[in-house]
Amino acid sequence: NPHVVGCSSGPSGVIAVADEAKDESREASEQWWTRPRPRACCRAFTADCLSCSAGVSKETYCRWAPNTVGCSSAPAPAPRACCRAFTAACMSCQAGQTEAQYCRANPHTVGC
């Protein structure tokens, strides 16, 4: 029906959809394929997570906020592998102390 908005009668009398509608539809589908995928960023307040959320590199983020956890130029201390028993040896390791230091503060701990 040539009287319906968006339709026109072609040269052969066949009703055709307006070219504009085709172009808009094509653009929308092309945009879907070309738009960037969303990032899945962690939510901790660290340089890695915050830089991901901001869409910048960690180095760039650390220039903006150098005091953020993870931006330090000093190497992070190696994690300690401590046992989990309630003994002087395990508890002092978890506290980051020597057994002697831990026992002075907690003399009733097993192993002191």
Side-chain angles (χ1 to χ4, degrees):
N1 184 346
H3 302 291
V4 175
V5 175
C7 295
S8 62
S9 179
S12 63
V14 177
I15 297 173
V17 176
D19 287 338
E20 292 175 15
K22 287 181 188 176
D23 290 342
E24 288 176 16
S25 176
R26 188 176 315 127
E27 282 180 27
S29 66
E30 287 173 2
Q31 289 173 358
W32 182 84
W33 290 107
T34 59
R35 70 184 130 163
R37 294 185 180 170
R39 288 184 300 276
C41 300
C42 49
R43 298 184 69 178
F45 291 107
T46 62
D48 288 322
C49 298
L50 293 170
S51 64
C52 176
S53 296
V56 297
S57 69
K58 180 179 173 182
E59 292 74 25
T60 300
Y61 190 86
C62 286
R63 281 195 301 270
W64 294 343
N67 294 328
T68 304
V69 173
C71 287
S72 174
S73 59
R80 291 188 303 272
C82 301
C83 51
R84 300 186 67 172
F86 293 107
T87 62
C90 296
M91 300 295 281
S92 64
C93 176
Q94 293 171 13
Q97 299 175 329
T98 66
E99 281 187 58
Q101 291 170 325
Y102 189 84
C103 286
R104 273 196 297 280
N106 304 284
H108 299 293
T109 303
V110 174
C112 289

